[in-house]
Amino acid sequence: MHTNVGWLALVLAGTAGAQDGAAPARETLLVRAEHVIVAPGRVLDAAQVLVRDGRIVAVGQDLEAPAGARVLEGRWVCAGFIDPWSALGMAADGLAELNATAATRSIDGFDPFSLDHLRREALRAGVTSARVQLGAQARIGGLGAVVRLVPGLGRDEAVVAEHSNLWMSAGLSLPTGMQFVETPDGFQMVSGNRAQDPFDRVESVDRIVSALQAGRNYLIAQNEHRHELEDWKKKIAEKEAELEKESKKAKKDREKAQKDAEEKGKPFEEKKYKEDKKPATPRFDEDNEVIARAVDGRLPLLIAAEREAEIRALLAGTASHGRLRLVLAGGSEAVHHATELAERRIPVLVWPAPLGRGRPDELEAHDLSLAGRLSGAGVRVLLGSGGRDPSATRDLPLLAGLAVAHGLPSAKAFEALTLGAARALDVADRLGTVEAGKDADLLILDGPPLASTTNVRFTISSGRVVVTPEN
Amino acid sequence: MIDILFAFATAVLPAEGTLAIRARAVWTGAAVLENAVVVVADGRIRSVGAEAPRGVEVLEHPGVLTAGLIALHGPAGAVGETSDGTRPALPEARVGLAVDPRSVELVALHAAGITSILVTPDPAGITAGTSALVRTADGSILRDPAHLSLVFSAEGLAGNRAPTSRSGALAMLDELFAGTRGHVADAKAGRLPCLFEVRERDDVQRAVAFARQRKLAGALHGAALSGELASAIRGSGLAVISPVLGVGTPRRVLDAVAQLAKEEVPFGFGLDAPWNHQDSLRLSAVLCLRAGLDRAAAWRALTANAARIAGAGDRVGRIERGLDADLVLWSGDPLDLASRAEVVFTRGVARTIQHAVPAPEEVRR
C-alpha cells in the first residue's frame, strides 16, 4: 500500500510536469495586419486572417471576429518559416549515423522532447517547422521528416510529413573525421578536415548513381510484375469463362478420364492448364522500395555535394532519370553548372553561413554570394541552417539576410523560407502560404519579414499561439 | 575565397579637396539625422548639417551614412606574424610592423564596411607584444602601439616551456611588471593600455585583480561570459572586447553581453579575421540586438566604443567635426544584415565596393 501511494505521487508529479511543458491550446483567432503576405509576391493590405481548429479558414479584407475569438494585431503577417536543413530535434547519435540505408527513417530518431529552449528560440525568430535528417554525412542518409518546432506537441501533431525526402551525400565521407561535440546548449557537429582522394570522391557519386539504377531496375521489375499479374488474371478469367461455357462437355471428359484411370489401375491426374502458372512476385526490398519512389518522382531526393567534380558527376549520372526530383544541397561550387541546374529545374539548398578561413576542405569555395549567383542564373534557391548545429535554426532568418546582402533578391529569400521549402518537401498543401485550408502557421511581425531588425510579435503554429510579446 | 576576388574597390574621388555627402540618413553616433549632409575636407569631417556649402560637389546617396566599423581583435593583415612560439614574453614586439598593406584579408574587411582593425598579438606565453589599430584601405597605422597584450588564459600555456600553469603565468607576469623599461613601463605609467587575454570567468577575475592592483587601463578580450561579471569589471574601469558571436550563439552568451551594456561597461567585438568571416562582425551586434540589446548600444560596440577601446576615440568611430572621414554609405539600415556597404571612405577618399552580385533591382519595402 505504501509503495502504491508513492507510485501514485510520482505519476501525479509526472502529469503536472507534462502540463507545464504542454503547448498552448488551439484557439479561434482573428489576425489583423497592415500587410498580409498571402503567398510570395501576393500582398493583401489592411487584411485579416481567420483561424479555427488549427487551420486557416479565411483570408480577406472585411472579416469580422466571430464571438469568442481572440484578436491579434500586427503590421505584417506571413507564413511561418521552414528550415529545410536543420538539426533541431534529432538525437546526436541519429545525426551521426553512418550505417543508415534508404529505408531508415529520421522520424524514428526524432525526439519531440529534446532541446526545448532551442525550439522556443527558433519559434521566437519565426521558424515554425524544419526538416530533420539522420545520417547527415552518410552516403545514404535515409528518409527525412518535416516537423513542427513547438515543444510539448504530441507526435501526431508535431510531424507534418513523416517521409518528406530521401537524403544522400556525395564526396563528404568522414567516418573518422566527423564528430559531435556536446555543448551546454546541445551539441555541434564538427566536420573533420580529412583531405580526400579525388577518385574516392567521384567513386562516392558512382555509388549513388548505382543505387539509383538499382532502384530503377527494381521499379521496372515491379511494374513488369504488375502487368504480368494483370495479364494472368485476365487469362484465368477467360479460361474460366470458357470452361463454364463448355461445362457439360468438360464434366463428361473428366469423368471419362477418371474412369479410364481406374480401369487401368493408374492414379487420376487433373488436366493442367498453362494459365495455372502464376507469375512469380519479385523479391521485396525495403531500401529499393524507397529509392524506386524517388526514381519515380514520388519522393524528393536531396543530395549533398559541395565540389564541382561531384556535382558534375551527379548531374551526368542522374540525367537519364527523367522523373527524379533532385535537390542539390550545399553546392558550394554549383555556379559552374548553373545553366544545367536551371534547365533541369534542380533547386539548390544553400547554407549561407559566414565562414572564415580554416573551414573544412570541401567548403573551400563556400561563399555568401552563391545564392545570389544561382538565382541570377535562373536556378531555384532554397536556404537552410546547414543541419549541423541545432541552435543554428534560430538564426535562419539572419542567414537569409546575409544571402540578400550578397545578391539574392529578398523576394526569392522569402520564398525560399516559405513556399519554396514547402514545395520542395511536398508539404505545400499544408505549409508555406497564408491561404484558406492550410495549417495555421503564421507570424505576426512589427516590420517586413527577413529584416534583421524586425521582431516577431506572435508566432502561431497549427492554431496555437506559441510566442507572444510577453513570453 | 571568391568574395575577396570580387569585392575589390575603385577610388572615385581624390583625397584632396572638399566633398559633401548627402544621405537619406546620417548616423553620427549621437543622433540619426534625416537627409543630412556631411562635408569632408582634406580627409577630415568639416561639418554635419542640412545643406551643402555652395560650390561643393555633392555625392547623393539613398542609403545610410555612418562611421566605418572597427573590429577589435585578430591577426588579419599579419597572419603568421602575431606570435613567436620560442619565447613566452616579448613585450617589445610590435605586430603593427608586420602588417602587409596589400593583404587580401584587409580588402575583404574593407569591402564589408570595416574601416579599421585592431591587429593583436596571439595569446601566446604571457605576452606576445603590442597591438596596433590599422586602416583596412591601405594598411596605414592609426595607433601603434595600442595595447600591451597580457595573457591570463590557458591559451598562453605550453607543455614544453614556461609557463605551464596559470599560477606560473601569473608569477611570470608579476616578474614582467617588476621591470621599469619599454612597454611595461608605459603600461605601469598609464601611457599604454593593456589587452588582457582571458577565456574563462576565472581568468577574468585574475585579470581584473591584476589590473586593479597595478592601476592598469585597457580591455579584457575573449571571455564570452565576461558579462556575468559585469559589475566587478565596471569597478576596475576596464572595457571588454567580446569574442565574435556566430550563428547559433547560446542565449546565455547574448544575455551576458547585454549585461555589459546594463552595467555600462564599454564593449566592442573582436572579429579574429581571417579565421572568421568579415560579416560576422555585424552579425555579432545583430544577434545581441535580437536578444534585447538596444540599438544604440549595439551600434556603439561596432563604432564609437570600439574606437575608444582601440585608443582612437578622438580620431574615428563617430561623425563629428574634426574626426577623420572614415565613413561608410550603406544600402540601408546597417543593423539589418541584408544591407551592404556600397561606398567606403578612408580619410575622405571614396571607394565604390564592387560586390560579386550586383544589388537586386527591387526596392525593399
Side-chain angles (χ1 to χ4, degrees):
Chain A
M1 185 64 200
H2 185 79
T3 326
N4 280 346
V5 171
W7 179 79
L8 187 66
L10 199 69
V11 168
L12 290 174
T15 318
Q19 277 169 347
D20 283 347
R26 277 185 172 157
E27 292 174 81
T28 299
L29 304 167
L30 186 80
V31 178
R32 290 199 194 113
E34 291 169 32
H35 317 283
V36 174
I37 308 178
V38 177
R42 256 169 63 209
V43 181
L44 213 52
D45 288 339
Q48 306 86 32
V49 182
L50 182 61
V51 171
R52 192 181 291 133
D53 299 327
R55 298 264 168 120
I56 297 168
V57 181
V59 184
Q61 287 169 309
D62 50 9
L63 300 180
E64 299 286 337
R70 181 172 173 191
V71 178
L72 302 175
E73 292 184 355
R75 291 193 56 211
W76 289 78
V77 164
C78 68
F81 300 142
I82 305 164
D83 184 352
W85 197 0
S86 171
L88 186 47
M90 284 303 292
D93 52 1
L95 278 179
E97 177 64 64
L98 285 168
N99 298 315
T101 66
T104 316
R105 293 149 33 103
S106 297
I107 201 69
D108 294 332
F110 169 64
D111 179 358
F113 305 105
S114 71
L115 302 174
D116 281 0
H117 62 297
L118 297 184
R119 291 164 197 268
R120 290 202 180 88
E121 287 186 48
L123 291 171
R124 178 150 286 291
V127 186
T128 50
S129 53
R131 180 183 67 89
V132 292
Q133 181 70 56
L134 60 75
Q137 299 286 309
R139 183 75 54 238
I140 294 177
L143 290 159
V146 175
V147 297
R148 286 182 206 287
L149 296 174
V150 179
L153 281 189
R155 188 182 178 284
D156 287 349
E157 196 179 329
V159 178
V160 180
E162 210 169 35
H163 303 151
S164 60
N165 65 282
L166 176 60
W167 171 264
M168 301 184 181
S169 61
L172 295 153
S173 162
L174 300 161
T176 53
M178 181 204 58
Q179 50 184 311
F180 284 83
V181 178
E182 297 273 346
T183 67
D185 282 85
F187 53 86
Q188 255 184 316
M189 190 173 84
V190 180
S191 285
N193 207 3
R194 198 178 64 147
Q196 263 202 310
D197 185 325
F199 294 104
D200 283 349
R201 294 199 274 121
V202 175
E203 193 205 336
S204 71
V205 179
D206 287 346
R207 287 198 198 157
I208 286 176
V209 172
S210 311
L212 293 178
Q213 193 55 50
R216 175 191 248 176
N217 293 342
Y218 184 84
L219 182 67
I220 290 169
Q222 293 281 348
N223 286 344
E224 276 175 357
H225 174 249
R226 213 176 61 233
H227 292 306
E228 280 171 9
L229 205 62
E230 274 167 21
D231 287 352
W232 175 74
K233 279 182 184 159
K234 213 163 106 190
K235 275 181 192 156
I236 289 280
E238 278 168 10
K239 196 72 197 172
E240 271 174 2
E242 190 187 313
L243 289 174
E244 184 72 27
K245 214 165 135 190
E246 300 167 6
S247 63
K248 278 183 187 164
K249 186 180 176 288
K251 196 180 172 193
K252 216 181 257 177
D253 289 350
R254 187 175 178 272
E255 278 166 1
K256 188 174 179 287
Q258 217 166 0
K259 203 173 164 189
D260 287 353
E262 210 172 296
E263 279 170 8
K264 288 174 188 168
K266 285 181 186 167
F268 170 69
E269 281 180 33
E270 290 278 7
K271 185 183 174 184
K272 285 205 173 115
Y273 296 91
K274 64 176 191 298
E275 290 81 3
D276 281 355
K277 205 178 164 202
K278 191 180 173 184
T281 315
R283 199 174 155 150
F284 177 82
D285 181 295
E286 58 171 4
D287 293 323
N288 276 325
E289 283 284 328
V290 172
I291 298 174
R293 280 173 63 200
V295 169
D296 205 23
R298 283 176 283 142
L299 186 70
L301 172 62
L302 274 61
I303 304 184
E306 299 291 345
R307 293 200 253 205
E308 195 275 335
E310 285 94 313
I311 295 168
R312 175 159 31 97
L314 267 177
L315 289 175
T318 55
S320 64
H321 297 282
R323 299 171 73 102
L324 192 71
R325 286 163 60 206
L326 183 63
V327 177
L328 180 65
S332 291
E333 298 176 18
V335 272
H336 303 294
H337 296 283
T339 312
E340 188 176 352
L341 291 165
E343 276 169 7
R344 286 175 58 187
R345 295 164 184 259
I346 299 173
V348 180
L349 173 48
V350 175
W351 176 44
L355 303 183
R357 202 184 287 176
R359 61 188 78 172
D361 282 356
E362 66 275 1
L363 296 172
E364 212 165 282
H366 183 282
D367 190 90
L368 289 175
S369 65
L370 175 65
R373 286 156 179 259
L374 290 173
S375 179
V379 180
R380 203 144 61 81
V381 168
L382 305 170
L383 303 171
S385 73
R388 291 154 169 88
D389 172 2
S391 54
T393 292
R394 175 195 71 193
D395 294 333
L396 180 63
L398 298 183
L399 296 182
L402 285 171
V404 170
H406 289 268
L408 181 68
S410 61
K412 301 269 184 195
F414 176 76
E415 185 169 357
L417 263 50
T418 53
L419 188 57
R423 278 198 180 132
L425 297 169
D426 271 353
V427 291
D429 57 331
R430 295 183 57 188
L431 307 178
T433 61
V434 184
E435 291 170 302
K438 295 250 179 136
D439 290 7
D441 282 24
L442 304 176
L443 310 178
I444 305 176
L445 311 161
D446 67 1
L450 298 190
S452 321
T453 47
T454 290
N455 295 304
V456 173
R457 284 175 52 76
F458 298 93
T459 302
I460 301 162
S461 177
S462 61
R464 301 172 194 271
V465 183
V466 292
V467 169
T468 66
E470 290 78 36
N471 69 2
Chain B
M1 305 285 279
I2 296 169
D3 54 343
I4 289 176
L5 294 179
F6 279 84
F8 62 90
T10 42
V12 293
L13 290 162
E16 303 298 317
T18 304
L19 164 72
I21 310 155
R22 181 188 292 278
R24 181 177 55 76
V26 173
W27 293 18
T28 65
V32 174
L33 308 173
E34 303 289 331
N35 198 28
V37 176
V38 173
V39 180
V40 172
D42 301 326
R44 296 213 174 169
I45 297 162
R46 177 179 283 177
S47 68
V48 185
E51 295 300 329
R54 271 188 205 167
V56 173
E57 185 188 359
V58 182
L59 176 67
E60 304 269 352
H61 194 274
V64 179
L65 181 70
T66 71
L69 309 184
I70 300 167
L72 286 176
H73 197 270
V79 171
E81 301 286 341
T82 46
S83 69
D84 182 331
T86 63
R87 280 167 291 180
L90 280 167
E92 301 310 310
R94 288 167 56 192
V95 298
L97 299 175
V99 173
D100 173 4
R102 293 165 304 170
S103 147
V104 289
E105 295 145 19
L106 298 186
V107 176
L109 293 162
H110 180 260
I114 301 168
T115 50
S116 46
I117 54 165
L118 188 69
V119 185
T120 51
D122 291 347
I126 54 165
T127 174
T130 56
S131 65
L133 187 64
V134 173
R135 284 198 167 90
T136 54
D138 52 10
S140 64
I141 300 285
L142 266 157
R143 190 171 184 92
D144 180 26
H147 305 90
L148 173 61
S149 168
L150 301 173
V151 186
F152 286 77
S153 67
E155 296 152 289
L157 310 179
N160 56 359
R161 56 132 179 84
T164 60
S165 69
R166 280 182 169 88
S167 41
L170 266 176
M172 286 176 72
L173 283 163
D174 280 336
E175 206 177 311
L176 182 74
F177 270 76
T180 53
R181 292 172 45 214
H183 290 149
V184 170
D186 291 343
K188 282 160 78 174
R191 291 189 295 271
L192 181 63
C194 297
L195 179 67
F196 300 87
E197 293 286 356
V198 289
R199 180 64 72 92
E200 308 299 336
R201 280 164 296 168
D202 59 324
D203 299 336
V204 173
Q205 284 180 327
R206 276 187 283 270
V208 166
F210 189 90
R212 291 191 85 140
Q213 196 187 345
R214 290 169 181 78
K215 297 188 172 61
L216 303 176
L220 300 154
H221 165 262
L225 295 176
S226 45
E228 294 183 359
L229 303 168
S231 57
I233 296 170
R234 186 187 181 178
S236 72
L238 296 176
V240 168
I241 301 171
S242 165
V244 71
L245 308 177
V247 171
T249 294
R251 179 71 196 213
R252 181 176 172 186
V253 170
L254 302 177
D255 289 343
V257 177
Q259 197 59 29
L260 291 171
K262 204 174 158 200
E263 293 283 343
E264 294 175 338
V265 175
F267 67 94
F269 294 101
L271 176 59
D272 285 291
W275 310 117
N276 294 302
H277 192 279
Q278 52 277 11
D279 286 348
S280 294
L281 185 67
R282 273 197 301 149
L283 174 63
S284 300
V286 168
L287 284 167
C288 294
L289 188 72
R290 285 168 70 94
L293 185 70
D294 71 84
R295 275 177 81 87
W299 185 248
R300 275 197 304 272
L302 297 174
T303 53
N305 277 356
R308 275 184 210 116
I309 291 168
D314 55 345
R315 300 275 306 275
V316 291
R318 289 165 295 140
I319 295 182
E320 200 179 291
R321 183 187 163 88
L323 268 63
D324 289 0
D326 287 8
L327 310 170
V328 181
L329 274 167
W330 303 90
S331 60
D333 180 348
L335 285 173
D336 180 356
L337 292 173
S339 304
R340 49 160 92 174
E342 295 196 332
V343 184
V344 178
F345 300 84
T346 304
R347 281 180 294 197
V349 183
R351 288 193 171 89
T352 305
I353 306 302
Q354 307 289 317
H355 291 277
V357 184
E361 298 208 346
E362 36 119 33
V363 178
R364 293 169 53 89
R365 294 185 65 152

